[in-house]
Amino acid sequence: MELTLCLIKPDAVRRDLTGSVLYMIEKAGLKVMAMKMIRLDKRLAEGFYHVHSERPFFGELTEYMASGPIVAVVLAGDNAIKRYRDLMGATDPAQAAEGTIRKVFALSKQENSVHGSDAPETAAFETAYFFS
Ligand code: IDP
Ligand code: MG
């Protein structure tokens, strides 16, 4: 049993896709263990994405993540980190496989509807960032 962090990002919450995203996640057999809707400020968004602080899109990314409410969700399951990453699809929706969340819902490489932890270390940091 493994835990991972999902964020339903501002573009998806704004378009009333929270339930649709959760439906895909639950249908894939991942279990929702904890969930809350929050509004990040710029500083919280920067802390969450600190690994990307040197990337050229960091300013834009953190502005976008603070642009409206998000839903933070802890998911559990066997091999949950990889299974949820596979379900999300590629960062750029143009590259995402059919049937993935980003293929179905994402607007652009930045406004790509969902986040998912990419390794056990990031999953531990990211779940603790939002849940005690
Ligand atoms: P991931 O979310 O698929 O793990 P990362 O490379 O970790 O992708 O990037 C984090 C987030 O930063 C992406 O989900 C996306 O919102 C944004 N992002 C990544 N690359 C770009 C880019 O080239 N332009 C604009 N935003 C980007
Ligand atoms: Mg990432």
Side-chain angles (χ1 to χ4, degrees):
M1 184 86 148
E2 193 171 66
L3 299 180
T4 191
L5 185 81
C6 156
L7 298 180
I8 305 175
K9 293 181 172 182
D11 71 275
V13 173
R14 192 176 289 130
R15 288 178 292 145
D16 303 313
L17 296 171
T18 301
S20 301
V21 170
L22 289 170
Y23 178 72
M24 289 179 73
I25 287 170
E26 292 187 326
K27 206 163 51 138
L30 292 160
K31 188 146 187 76
V32 173
M33 301 295 283
M35 177 163 67
K36 63 182 166 191
M37 181 178 274
I38 44 178
R39 171 87 188 248
L40 299 182
D41 60 18
K42 191 86 159 54
R43 190 187 59 80
L44 274 172
E46 287 168 356
F48 181 74
Y49 273 128
H50 72 276
V51 294
H52 293 312
S53 61
E54 302 304 318
R55 308 276 285 273
F57 56 82
F58 185 66
E60 248 184 72
L61 171 62
T62 53
E63 286 284 339
Y64 152 64
M65 289 300 290
S67 70
I70 64 168
V71 176
V73 189
V74 178
L75 300 175
D78 291 332
N79 204 17
I81 295 172
K82 179 174 192 309
R83 281 169 58 207
Y84 175 56
R85 290 286 304 187
D86 289 348
L87 177 65
M88 284 201 309
T91 307
D92 183 348
Q95 314 291 325
E98 288 299 328
T100 59
I101 295 171
R102 284 167 166 170
K103 178 69 177 189
V104 175
F105 296 123
L107 298 174
S108 67
K109 192 172 185 185
Q110 177 173 278
E111 294 193 289
N112 59 3
S113 302
V114 281
H115 168 83
S117 310
D118 61 6
E121 304 71 43
T122 50
F125 168 77
E126 292 174 358
T127 52
Y129 201 78
F130 293 110
F131 297 92
S132 50

CSV table of all heavy atoms in Angstrom, one decimal, residues 44-102:
chain,number,residue,atom,x,y,z
A,44,LEU,N,2.9,29.8,-0.8
A,44,LEU,CA,2.6,28.4,-0.7
A,44,LEU,C,2.8,27.6,-2.0
A,44,LEU,O,3.3,26.5,-2.0
A,44,LEU,CB,1.2,28.2,-0.2
A,44,LEU,CG,1.0,28.2,1.3
A,44,LEU,CD1,-0.5,28.2,1.6
A,44,LEU,CD2,1.7,27.1,2.0
A,45,ALA,N,2.5,28.3,-3.1
A,45,ALA,CA,2.7,27.6,-4.4
A,45,ALA,C,4.2,27.5,-4.7
A,45,ALA,O,4.6,26.5,-5.2
A,45,ALA,CB,2.0,28.5,-5.5
A,46,GLU,N,5.0,28.5,-4.3
A,46,GLU,CA,6.4,28.5,-4.5
A,46,GLU,C,7.1,27.4,-3.7
A,46,GLU,O,8.0,26.7,-4.1
A,46,GLU,CB,7.0,29.8,-4.2
A,46,GLU,CG,6.7,30.9,-5.2
A,46,GLU,CD,7.1,32.3,-4.8
A,46,GLU,OE1,7.5,32.5,-3.6
A,46,GLU,OE2,6.9,33.2,-5.6
A,47,GLY,N,6.6,27.2,-2.5
A,47,GLY,CA,7.1,26.2,-1.6
A,47,GLY,C,6.8,24.8,-2.1
A,47,GLY,O,7.7,23.9,-2.1
A,48,PHE,N,5.6,24.6,-2.6
A,48,PHE,CA,5.2,23.3,-3.2
A,48,PHE,C,6.1,23.0,-4.4
A,48,PHE,O,6.5,21.8,-4.5
A,48,PHE,CB,3.7,23.4,-3.6
A,48,PHE,CG,3.3,22.0,-4.1
A,48,PHE,CD1,3.1,21.0,-3.3
A,48,PHE,CD2,3.1,21.9,-5.5
A,48,PHE,CE1,2.7,19.7,-3.7
A,48,PHE,CE2,2.6,20.6,-6.0
A,48,PHE,CZ,2.4,19.6,-5.1
A,49,TYR,N,6.3,23.9,-5.2
A,49,TYR,CA,7.1,23.7,-6.5
A,49,TYR,C,8.5,24.1,-6.4
A,49,TYR,O,9.1,24.4,-7.4
A,49,TYR,CB,6.4,24.4,-7.7
A,49,TYR,CG,5.2,23.6,-8.3
A,49,TYR,CD1,4.0,24.2,-8.5
A,49,TYR,CD2,5.5,22.3,-8.8
A,49,TYR,CE1,3.0,23.4,-9.1
A,49,TYR,CE2,4.4,21.6,-9.4
A,49,TYR,CZ,3.2,22.1,-9.6
A,49,TYR,OH,2.2,21.4,-10.2
A,50,HIS,N,9.1,24.1,-5.2
A,50,HIS,CA,10.5,24.6,-5.0
A,50,HIS,C,11.5,24.0,-6.0
A,50,HIS,O,12.5,24.6,-6.4
A,50,HIS,CB,10.9,24.5,-3.6
A,50,HIS,CG,11.2,23.1,-3.1
A,50,HIS,ND1,10.2,22.3,-2.7
A,50,HIS,CD2,12.3,22.4,-3.1
A,50,HIS,CE1,10.7,21.1,-2.4
A,50,HIS,NE2,12.0,21.2,-2.6
A,51,VAL,N,11.2,22.7,-6.3
A,51,VAL,CA,12.2,22.0,-7.2
A,51,VAL,C,12.3,22.6,-8.6
A,51,VAL,O,13.3,22.4,-9.3
A,51,VAL,CB,11.9,20.4,-7.4
A,51,VAL,CG1,12.1,19.7,-6.1
A,51,VAL,CG2,10.5,20.2,-7.9
A,52,HIS,N,11.3,23.4,-8.9
A,52,HIS,CA,11.2,24.0,-10.2
A,52,HIS,C,11.6,25.5,-10.2
A,52,HIS,O,11.5,26.2,-11.2
A,52,HIS,CB,9.8,23.9,-10.8
A,52,HIS,CG,9.4,22.5,-11.2
A,52,HIS,ND1,10.2,21.6,-11.9
A,52,HIS,CD2,8.3,21.8,-10.9
A,52,HIS,CE1,9.6,20.5,-12.0
A,52,HIS,NE2,8.4,20.6,-11.4
A,53,SER,N,12.2,25.9,-9.1
A,53,SER,CA,12.4,27.4,-8.9
A,53,SER,C,13.4,28.0,-9.9
A,53,SER,O,13.3,29.2,-10.2
A,53,SER,CB,12.9,27.7,-7.5
A,53,SER,OG,14.1,27.0,-7.2
A,54,GLU,N,14.2,27.2,-10.5
A,54,GLU,CA,15.2,27.7,-11.5
A,54,GLU,C,14.6,27.6,-12.9
A,54,GLU,O,15.2,28.1,-13.9
A,54,GLU,CB,16.5,26.9,-11.5
A,54,GLU,CG,17.2,27.0,-10.1
A,54,GLU,CD,17.5,28.4,-9.6
A,54,GLU,OE1,17.9,29.3,-10.4
A,54,GLU,OE2,17.2,28.6,-8.4
A,55,ARG,N,13.4,27.0,-13.1
A,55,ARG,CA,12.9,26.8,-14.4
A,55,ARG,C,12.3,28.2,-14.9
A,55,ARG,O,11.8,28.9,-14.1
A,55,ARG,CB,11.8,25.7,-14.4
A,55,ARG,CG,12.2,24.4,-13.8
A,55,ARG,CD,13.0,23.5,-14.8
A,55,ARG,NE,12.1,22.9,-15.8
A,55,ARG,CZ,11.5,21.7,-15.6
A,55,ARG,NH1,11.6,21.1,-14.4
A,55,ARG,NH2,10.7,21.2,-16.5
A,56,PRO,N,12.3,28.4,-16.2
A,56,PRO,CA,11.8,29.7,-16.8
A,56,PRO,C,10.3,29.9,-16.5
A,56,PRO,O,9.9,31.0,-16.5
A,56,PRO,CB,12.1,29.6,-18.3
A,56,PRO,CG,12.4,28.1,-18.6
A,56,PRO,CD,12.9,27.5,-17.3
A,57,PHE,N,9.6,28.8,-16.4
A,57,PHE,CA,8.1,29.0,-16.2
A,57,PHE,C,7.7,29.1,-14.7
A,57,PHE,O,6.5,29.1,-14.4
A,57,PHE,CB,7.4,27.8,-16.9
A,57,PHE,CG,7.8,26.4,-16.5
A,57,PHE,CD1,7.3,25.9,-15.3
A,57,PHE,CD2,8.7,25.7,-17.2
A,57,PHE,CE1,7.7,24.6,-14.9
A,57,PHE,CE2,9.1,24.4,-16.8
A,57,PHE,CZ,8.6,23.9,-15.6
A,58,PHE,N,8.7,29.1,-13.8
A,58,PHE,CA,8.3,29.1,-12.4
A,58,PHE,C,7.4,30.2,-11.9
A,58,PHE,O,6.4,30.0,-11.2
A,58,PHE,CB,9.6,29.2,-11.5
A,58,PHE,CG,9.4,29.0,-10.1
A,58,PHE,CD1,8.9,27.8,-9.5
A,58,PHE,CD2,9.7,30.0,-9.2
A,58,PHE,CE1,8.8,27.7,-8.2
A,58,PHE,CE2,9.5,29.9,-7.8
A,58,PHE,CZ,9.0,28.7,-7.3
A,59,GLY,N,7.6,31.4,-12.4
A,59,GLY,CA,6.8,32.6,-12.0
A,59,GLY,C,5.3,32.4,-12.5
A,59,GLY,O,4.4,32.5,-11.7
A,60,GLU,N,5.2,32.0,-13.8
A,60,GLU,CA,3.9,31.8,-14.4
A,60,GLU,C,3.2,30.6,-13.7
A,60,GLU,O,2.0,30.7,-13.5
A,60,GLU,CB,4.1,31.3,-15.8
A,60,GLU,CG,3.7,32.2,-16.9
A,60,GLU,CD,3.9,31.6,-18.3
A,60,GLU,OE1,3.1,30.6,-18.6
A,60,GLU,OE2,4.9,32.0,-18.9
A,61,LEU,N,3.9,29.5,-13.4
A,61,LEU,CA,3.4,28.3,-12.8
A,61,LEU,C,2.8,28.7,-11.4
A,61,LEU,O,1.7,28.3,-11.1
A,61,LEU,CB,4.4,27.3,-12.7
A,61,LEU,CG,4.1,26.0,-11.9
A,61,LEU,CD1,2.9,25.3,-12.5
A,61,LEU,CD2,5.3,25.1,-11.8
A,62,THR,N,3.6,29.4,-10.6
A,62,THR,CA,3.1,29.7,-9.3
A,62,THR,C,2.0,30.7,-9.3
A,62,THR,O,1.1,30.6,-8.4
A,62,THR,CB,4.3,30.1,-8.4
A,62,THR,OG1,5.0,31.2,-9.0
A,62,THR,CG2,5.3,28.9,-8.2
A,63,GLU,N,2.0,31.6,-10.2
A,63,GLU,CA,0.8,32.5,-10.4
A,63,GLU,C,-0.5,31.7,-10.7
A,63,GLU,O,-1.5,32.0,-10.1
A,63,GLU,CB,1.0,33.5,-11.6
A,63,GLU,CG,2.0,34.6,-11.4
A,63,GLU,CD,1.5,35.7,-10.5
A,63,GLU,OE1,0.3,35.9,-10.4
A,63,GLU,OE2,2.3,36.4,-9.9
A,64,TYR,N,-0.3,30.8,-11.6
A,64,TYR,CA,-1.5,30.0,-12.0
A,64,TYR,C,-2.0,29.2,-10.9
A,64,TYR,O,-3.2,29.1,-10.6
A,64,TYR,CB,-1.0,29.1,-13.2
A,64,TYR,CG,-1.7,27.8,-13.4
A,64,TYR,CD1,-3.1,27.8,-13.6
A,64,TYR,CD2,-1.0,26.6,-13.3
A,64,TYR,CE1,-3.8,26.5,-13.8
A,64,TYR,CE2,-1.7,25.4,-13.4
A,64,TYR,CZ,-3.0,25.4,-13.7
A,64,TYR,OH,-3.7,24.2,-13.8
A,65,MET,N,-1.0,28.6,-10.1
A,65,MET,CA,-1.4,27.7,-9.0
A,65,MET,C,-2.1,28.5,-7.9
A,65,MET,O,-2.9,27.9,-7.1
A,65,MET,CB,-0.2,26.9,-8.5
A,65,MET,CG,0.3,25.8,-9.4
A,65,MET,SD,-1.0,24.6,-9.8
A,65,MET,CE,-1.1,23.7,-8.2
A,66,ALA,N,-1.9,29.8,-7.8
A,66,ALA,CA,-2.5,30.6,-6.8
A,66,ALA,C,-3.7,31.4,-7.4
A,66,ALA,O,-4.3,32.2,-6.7
A,66,ALA,CB,-1.5,31.6,-6.3
A,67,SER,N,-4.1,31.1,-8.6
A,67,SER,CA,-5.1,31.9,-9.3
A,67,SER,C,-6.6,31.5,-8.9
A,67,SER,O,-7.5,32.1,-9.3
A,67,SER,CB,-5.0,31.7,-10.8
A,67,SER,OG,-5.3,30.4,-11.3
A,68,GLY,N,-6.7,30.4,-8.2
A,68,GLY,CA,-8.1,30.0,-7.8
A,68,GLY,C,-7.9,28.7,-6.9
A,68,GLY,O,-6.8,28.2,-6.7
A,69,PRO,N,-9.1,28.3,-6.4
A,69,PRO,CA,-9.0,27.1,-5.5
A,69,PRO,C,-8.5,25.9,-6.2
A,69,PRO,O,-8.7,25.7,-7.4
A,69,PRO,CB,-10.4,26.9,-5.0
A,69,PRO,CG,-11.2,28.0,-5.5
A,69,PRO,CD,-10.4,28.8,-6.5
A,70,ILE,N,-7.8,25.0,-5.4
A,70,ILE,CA,-7.4,23.7,-5.8
A,70,ILE,C,-8.0,22.7,-4.8
A,70,ILE,O,-8.5,23.0,-3.8
A,70,ILE,CB,-5.9,23.5,-5.8
A,70,ILE,CG1,-5.3,23.6,-4.4
A,70,ILE,CG2,-5.2,24.5,-6.8
A,70,ILE,CD1,-3.9,23.2,-4.3
A,71,VAL,N,-8.0,21.4,-5.3
A,71,VAL,CA,-8.4,20.3,-4.3
A,71,VAL,C,-7.2,19.4,-4.2
A,71,VAL,O,-6.7,18.9,-5.1
A,71,VAL,CB,-9.7,19.6,-4.9
A,71,VAL,CG1,-10.0,18.4,-4.0
A,71,VAL,CG2,-10.9,20.5,-5.0
A,72,ALA,N,-6.8,19.3,-2.9
A,72,ALA,CA,-5.7,18.4,-2.6
A,72,ALA,C,-6.3,17.0,-2.1
A,72,ALA,O,-7.2,17.0,-1.3
A,72,ALA,CB,-4.8,19.0,-1.5
A,73,VAL,N,-5.7,16.0,-2.6
A,73,VAL,CA,-6.3,14.6,-2.4
A,73,VAL,C,-5.1,13.7,-2.1
A,73,VAL,O,-4.2,13.6,-2.9
A,73,VAL,CB,-7.1,14.1,-3.6
A,73,VAL,CG1,-7.8,12.8,-3.2
A,73,VAL,CG2,-8.0,15.1,-4.2
A,74,VAL,N,-5.2,12.9,-1.0
A,74,VAL,CA,-4.3,11.8,-0.8
A,74,VAL,C,-4.9,10.5,-1.3
A,74,VAL,O,-6.0,10.2,-0.9
A,74,VAL,CB,-3.9,11.7,0.7
A,74,VAL,CG1,-3.0,10.5,0.9
A,74,VAL,CG2,-3.3,12.9,1.3
A,75,LEU,N,-4.1,9.9,-2.2
A,75,LEU,CA,-4.6,8.6,-2.8
A,75,LEU,C,-3.8,7.5,-2.3
A,75,LEU,O,-2.6,7.6,-2.0
A,75,LEU,CB,-4.4,8.7,-4.3
A,75,LEU,CG,-5.2,9.8,-5.0
A,75,LEU,CD1,-4.8,9.8,-6.5
A,75,LEU,CD2,-6.7,9.6,-4.8
A,76,ALA,N,-4.4,6.3,-2.1
A,76,ALA,CA,-3.7,5.1,-1.6
A,76,ALA,C,-4.0,4.0,-2.6
A,76,ALA,O,-5.1,3.9,-3.2
A,76,ALA,CB,-4.2,4.8,-0.2
A,77,GLY,N,-3.1,3.0,-2.6
A,77,GLY,CA,-3.2,1.8,-3.4
A,77,GLY,C,-1.9,1.1,-3.6
A,77,GLY,O,-0.9,1.7,-3.3
A,78,ASP,N,-2.0,-0.1,-4.1
A,78,ASP,CA,-0.7,-0.8,-4.4
A,78,ASP,C,-0.1,0.0,-5.6
A,78,ASP,O,-0.8,0.3,-6.6
A,78,ASP,CB,-1.0,-2.2,-4.9
A,78,ASP,CG,-1.5,-3.1,-3.7
A,78,ASP,OD1,-1.1,-2.8,-2.6
A,78,ASP,OD2,-2.2,-4.0,-4.0
A,79,ASN,N,1.2,0.4,-5.5
A,79,ASN,CA,1.9,1.0,-6.6
A,79,ASN,C,1.1,2.3,-7.0
A,79,ASN,O,1.1,2.7,-8.2
A,79,ASN,CB,1.9,0.1,-7.8
A,79,ASN,CG,3.1,0.4,-8.7
A,79,ASN,OD1,4.0,1.1,-8.4
A,79,ASN,ND2,3.0,-0.1,-9.9
A,80,ALA,N,0.6,3.0,-6.0
A,80,ALA,CA,-0.3,4.2,-6.3
A,80,ALA,C,0.4,5.3,-7.0
A,80,ALA,O,-0.2,6.0,-7.9
A,80,ALA,CB,-0.9,4.7,-5.0
A,81,ILE,N,1.7,5.5,-6.7
A,81,ILE,CA,2.4,6.6,-7.3
A,81,ILE,C,2.5,6.5,-8.9
A,81,ILE,O,2.1,7.4,-9.6
A,81,ILE,CB,3.8,6.8,-6.8
A,81,ILE,CG1,3.8,7.2,-5.3
A,81,ILE,CG2,4.7,7.8,-7.5
A,81,ILE,CD1,5.1,7.1,-4.5
A,82,LYS,N,2.9,5.3,-9.3
A,82,LYS,CA,3.0,5.1,-10.7
A,82,LYS,C,1.6,4.9,-11.4
A,82,LYS,O,1.4,5.5,-12.5
A,82,LYS,CB,3.8,3.8,-11.0
A,82,LYS,CG,3.9,3.6,-12.5
A,82,LYS,CD,4.9,2.4,-12.9
A,82,LYS,CE,5.1,2.4,-14.4
A,82,LYS,NZ,3.9,2.4,-15.2
A,83,ARG,N,0.7,4.2,-10.7
A,83,ARG,CA,-0.6,4.1,-11.3
A,83,ARG,C,-1.3,5.4,-11.5
A,83,ARG,O,-1.9,5.6,-12.6
A,83,ARG,CB,-1.5,3.2,-10.4
A,83,ARG,CG,-1.1,1.7,-10.6
A,83,ARG,CD,-1.8,0.8,-9.6
A,83,ARG,NE,-3.2,1.0,-9.6
A,83,ARG,CZ,-4.0,0.8,-8.5
A,83,ARG,NH1,-3.4,0.4,-7.3
A,83,ARG,NH2,-5.3,0.9,-8.5
A,84,TYR,N,-1.1,6.3,-10.5
A,84,TYR,CA,-1.8,7.6,-10.7
A,84,TYR,C,-1.1,8.5,-11.8
A,84,TYR,O,-1.7,9.2,-12.6
A,84,TYR,CB,-1.9,8.3,-9.4
A,84,TYR,CG,-2.4,9.7,-9.5
A,84,TYR,CD1,-3.7,10.0,-10.1
A,84,TYR,CD2,-1.7,10.8,-9.1
A,84,TYR,CE1,-4.1,11.2,-10.3
A,84,TYR,CE2,-2.2,12.1,-9.3
A,84,TYR,CZ,-3.4,12.3,-9.9
A,84,TYR,OH,-3.8,13.6,-10.1
A,85,ARG,N,0.3,8.4,-11.8
A,85,ARG,CA,1.0,9.1,-12.9
A,85,ARG,C,0.6,8.6,-14.2
A,85,ARG,O,0.4,9.4,-15.2
A,85,ARG,CB,2.5,8.9,-12.7
A,85,ARG,CG,3.2,9.6,-11.6
A,85,ARG,CD,3.4,11.1,-11.7
A,85,ARG,NE,4.1,11.5,-12.8
A,85,ARG,CZ,4.4,12.8,-13.0
A,85,ARG,NH1,4.2,13.7,-12.1
A,85,ARG,NH2,5.0,13.1,-14.1
A,86,ASP,N,0.4,7.3,-14.4
A,86,ASP,CA,0.0,6.8,-15.7
A,86,ASP,C,-1.5,7.3,-16.0
A,86,ASP,O,-1.7,7.6,-17.2
A,86,ASP,CB,0.0,5.2,-15.7
A,86,ASP,CG,1.4,4.7,-15.7
A,86,ASP,OD1,2.3,5.4,-15.9
A,86,ASP,OD2,1.5,3.5,-15.4
A,87,LEU,N,-2.3,7.3,-15.0
A,87,LEU,CA,-3.7,7.8,-15.2
A,87,LEU,C,-3.7,9.3,-15.6
A,87,LEU,O,-4.5,9.7,-16.4
A,87,LEU,CB,-4.5,7.6,-14.0
A,87,LEU,CG,-6.0,8.0,-14.0
A,87,LEU,CD1,-6.8,7.3,-15.0
A,87,LEU,CD2,-6.6,7.9,-12.6
A,88,MET,N,-2.8,10.1,-15.0
A,88,MET,CA,-2.7,11.5,-15.4
A,88,MET,C,-2.3,11.8,-16.8
A,88,MET,O,-2.9,12.7,-17.5
A,88,MET,CB,-1.6,12.2,-14.5
A,88,MET,CG,-2.0,12.5,-13.1
A,88,MET,SD,-1.0,13.8,-12.4
A,88,MET,CE,0.6,13.3,-12.8
A,89,GLY,N,-1.4,11.0,-17.3
A,89,GLY,CA,-0.8,11.3,-18.7
A,89,GLY,C,0.3,12.3,-18.7
A,89,GLY,O,0.6,12.9,-17.6
A,90,ALA,N,0.9,12.5,-19.9
A,90,ALA,CA,2.0,13.3,-20.0
A,90,ALA,C,1.7,14.8,-19.6
A,90,ALA,O,0.6,15.2,-19.7
A,90,ALA,CB,2.5,13.3,-21.5
A,91,THR,N,2.8,15.5,-19.2
A,91,THR,CA,2.6,16.9,-18.7
A,91,THR,C,1.9,17.8,-19.8
A,91,THR,O,1.0,18.5,-19.5
A,91,THR,CB,4.0,17.5,-18.5
A,91,THR,OG1,4.7,16.6,-17.6
A,91,THR,CG2,4.0,18.9,-17.9
A,92,ASP,N,2.3,17.6,-21.1
A,92,ASP,CA,1.7,18.3,-22.2
A,92,ASP,C,0.5,17.5,-22.7
A,92,ASP,O,0.8,16.4,-23.2
A,92,ASP,CB,2.8,18.5,-23.3
A,92,ASP,CG,2.2,19.4,-24.4
A,92,ASP,OD1,1.0,19.6,-24.5
A,92,ASP,OD2,3.1,19.8,-25.2
A,93,PRO,N,-0.7,18.0,-22.6
A,93,PRO,CA,-1.8,17.2,-23.1
A,93,PRO,C,-1.7,16.8,-24.5
A,93,PRO,O,-2.3,15.8,-24.9
A,93,PRO,CB,-3.0,18.1,-22.9
A,93,PRO,CG,-2.5,19.5,-22.7
A,93,PRO,CD,-1.1,19.3,-22.1
A,94,ALA,N,-1.0,17.5,-25.3
A,94,ALA,CA,-0.8,17.1,-26.7
A,94,ALA,C,0.0,15.8,-26.9
A,94,ALA,O,-0.1,15.1,-27.9
A,94,ALA,CB,0.0,18.2,-27.5
A,95,GLN,N,0.7,15.5,-25.8
A,95,GLN,CA,1.5,14.2,-25.8
A,95,GLN,C,0.9,13.1,-25.0
A,95,GLN,O,1.4,12.0,-24.9
A,95,GLN,CB,2.9,14.5,-25.2
A,95,GLN,CG,3.7,15.7,-25.6
A,95,GLN,CD,4.1,15.5,-27.1
A,95,GLN,OE1,4.4,14.5,-27.5
A,95,GLN,NE2,4.1,16.6,-27.8
A,96,ALA,N,-0.2,13.5,-24.3
A,96,ALA,CA,-0.9,12.5,-23.4
A,96,ALA,C,-1.6,11.4,-24.1
A,96,ALA,O,-2.3,11.7,-25.1
A,96,ALA,CB,-1.8,13.3,-22.4
A,97,ALA,N,-1.6,10.2,-23.5
A,97,ALA,CA,-2.3,9.1,-24.2
A,97,ALA,C,-3.8,9.2,-24.0
A,97,ALA,O,-4.3,9.8,-23.1
A,97,ALA,CB,-1.8,7.8,-23.5
A,98,GLU,N,-4.5,8.6,-24.9
A,98,GLU,CA,-6.0,8.5,-24.9
A,98,GLU,C,-6.4,8.0,-23.6
A,98,GLU,O,-5.8,7.0,-23.0
A,98,GLU,CB,-6.5,7.6,-26.0
A,98,GLU,CG,-6.4,8.1,-27.4
A,98,GLU,CD,-7.1,9.4,-27.7
A,98,GLU,OE1,-8.2,9.6,-27.0
A,98,GLU,OE2,-6.7,10.2,-28.5
A,99,GLY,N,-7.5,8.6,-23.0
A,99,GLY,CA,-8.1,8.1,-21.8
A,99,GLY,C,-7.4,8.6,-20.5
A,99,GLY,O,-7.9,8.3,-19.4
A,100,THR,N,-6.3,9.3,-20.6
A,100,THR,CA,-5.7,9.9,-19.4
A,100,THR,C,-6.4,11.2,-19.0
A,100,THR,O,-7.1,11.8,-19.9
A,100,THR,CB,-4.2,10.2,-19.7
A,100,THR,OG1,-4.1,11.1,-20.7
A,100,THR,CG2,-3.5,8.9,-20.0
A,101,ILE,N,-6.3,11.5,-17.8
A,101,ILE,CA,-7.0,12.7,-17.3
A,101,ILE,C,-6.6,14.0,-18.1
A,101,ILE,O,-7.4,14.8,-18.4
A,101,ILE,CB,-6.7,12.9,-15.8
A,101,ILE,CG1,-7.3,11.8,-15.0
A,101,ILE,CG2,-7.2,14.3,-15.3
A,101,ILE,CD1,-6.9,11.7,-13.5
A,102,ARG,N,-5.2,14.1,-18.3
A,102,ARG,CA,-4.8,15.3,-19.0
A,102,ARG,C,-5.2,15.3,-20.5
A,102,ARG,O,-5.5,16.4,-21.0
A,102,ARG,CB,-3.3,15.4,-18.9
A,102,ARG,CG,-2.9,15.9,-17.5
A,102,ARG,CD,-1.4,15.8,-17.2
A,102,ARG,NE,-0.9,16.5,-16.1
A,102,ARG,CZ,0.3,16.4,-15.6
A,102,ARG,NH1,1.1,15.5,-16.1
A,102,ARG,NH2,0.6,17.1,-14.5
